[in-house]
Amino acid sequence: MSFKNFKDKIEENDTVMLYLSPQSIHVIKVMPKIVTRKGNEVENIFQTVYGALKVMDLVGMSYGAKVNLTKGYGYILQPTPELWTVTLPHRTQVLYTPDISMVLLQLDIRPGCIVVESGTGSGSLSHALIRAIAPDGKLHTYEFHEQRAKIASEEFKEHGFEDLVVVHNQNVCEAGFGLENVADSVFLDLPSPWLAINHALTSLKSNGRICSFSPCMEQVQKTCIELEKLRFLEITIIECLEREFQVKNISVADSELFSFDNDSVNNSLKSFRGFTTPLKMPGHTGYLTFATAPMKSSLSQEIEVVNGS
Ligand SMILES: C[S@@+](CC[C@H](N)C(=O)[O-])C[C@H]1O[C@@H](n2cnc3c(N)ncnc32)[C@H](O)[C@@H]1O
């Protein structure tokens, strides 16, 4: 299985998505046995609110097919970075699709790009970055937590991304990225991003783009001060607040019009096709601070002038 390429039929060892509803999507590994918490190896049967699924029955089925569960049904979908973001095992806070799409756009991430990211965390953003730089780009992702770096590395391999990503287990605030003038863009999701900005500048090409994601305005302020000190240009802060309108059949049964005088409402008006605003809206996630790296040649001339040479 690969997140990179779509295929028709499900095979053993594929990672698949079981879709029950927009709020209920599950990731399943197609393998005959699983190990229970008590360490026993048992047949791989996946339990859902609509009953059980014998996982090996999926082998040979087409992706997109409807699958019967003991008390209902679901659909088996190909894995994508978007579905991975909502199903992945959380080891940390993660970036979600509205922020991810803004990052991809603002950092101008395209096939062939060299991208630097830290921290890797749960790999939510990494999956979207890797798909965007394929087939010949490279993601260098840095994580100082050894276990997280190891698990992310294993997941990338399992998802067929081994040629597109290098996981570095290091503290970027102390050791930097070990790259010079090669990165098209740098993305930071760190508690103290301002400590990594000078290292990011070293890694970036002239005019490369940087983004720092921070939940708190105090982090943004310190980051902007450092960006300005290092002569970054076009500093912009964006907060993505998503408001999704749902297109659906709206019943007028509950409306005031209908309850006021049942008889006067034409039956054909009891339900109509329309759209509604969401009952719940996701709120603040974080601020995205973007900037453009200065031309390296003009930066070194400026430093020479300051030093009087
Ligand atoms: C919020 S998580 C990143 C989540 C990630 N963006 C995602 O979408 O899954 C932040 C990660 O940065 C790592 N981290 C914090 N400081 C670091 C540093 N100085 N160097 C490398 N990694 C660091 C943490 O261990 C943590 O896993």
Side-chain angles (χ1 to χ4, degrees), residues 24-43:
S24 180
I25 308 174
H26 306 273
V27 61
I28 301 177
K29 178 98 184 165
V30 182
M31 47 201 248
K33 302 274 179 198
I34 48 164
V35 179
T36 63
R37 283 200 193 129
K38 289 184 180 163
N40 304 323
E41 215 182 36
V42 295
E43 186 183 356

Side-chain angles (χ1 to χ4, degrees), residues 51-102:
L53 170 72
K54 278 191 177 181
V55 173
M56 287 308 279
D57 288 352
L58 296 173
V59 173
M61 287 178 74
S62 296
Y63 275 104
K66 186 172 174 177
V67 286
N68 289 323
L69 307 165
T70 48
K71 288 186 272 173
Y73 64 88
Y75 294 92
I76 284 292
L77 306 180
Q78 306 251 358
T80 62
E82 290 74 21
L83 291 175
W84 182 247
T85 287
V86 291
T87 54
L88 58 77
H90 276 229
R91 301 178 285 274
T92 61
Q93 291 280 5
V94 303
L95 254 72
Y96 289 97
T97 308
D99 289 315
I100 291 175
S101 41
M102 184 59 79

Side-chain angles (χ1 to χ4, degrees), residues 92-93 95 119 121-125 143-144 148 170-172 189:
T92 61
Q93 291 280 5
L95 254 72
S122 305
S124 169
L125 174 68
E143 172 57 60
F144 73 177
R148 282 181 205 153
Q170 69 193 52
N171 184 332
V172 298
D189 182 358

Side-chain angles (χ1 to χ4, degrees), residues 100-117 125-134 137-139 184-187 209-211 290:
I100 291 175
S101 41
M102 184 59 79
V103 169
L104 295 178
L105 176 85
Q106 288 284 339
L107 296 187
D108 196 16
I109 294 177
R110 287 168 283 139
C113 279
I114 297 179
V115 180
V116 165
E117 174 199 31
L125 174 68
S126 318
H127 277 71
L129 292 173
I130 294 169
R131 184 184 56 186
I133 61 168
K138 190 73 91 187
L139 173 68
D184 294 289
S185 49
V186 171
F187 176 85
R209 294 277 287 161
I210 188 168
C211 174
F290 295 98

Side-chain angles (χ1 to χ4, degrees), residues 248-308:
K248 58 183 190 182
N249 288 330
I250 296 167
S251 164
V252 293
D254 299 329
S255 74
E256 277 180 37
L257 171 72
F258 191 73
S259 59
F260 180 70
D261 180 4
N262 260 0
D263 297 337
S264 69
V265 178
N266 182 327
N267 267 351
S268 65
L269 276 182
K270 280 185 183 168
S271 160
F272 60 92
R273 195 79 181 143
F275 55 85
T276 57
T277 52
L279 293 175
K280 276 196 298 187
M281 207 176 103
H284 175 73
T285 53
Y287 303 104
L288 294 164
T289 305
F290 295 98
T292 303
M295 289 290 289
K296 297 283 175 92
S297 52
S298 63
L299 194 65
S300 52
Q301 276 166 14
E302 234 180 272
I303 292 165
E304 276 171 26
V305 172
V306 172
N307 292 341

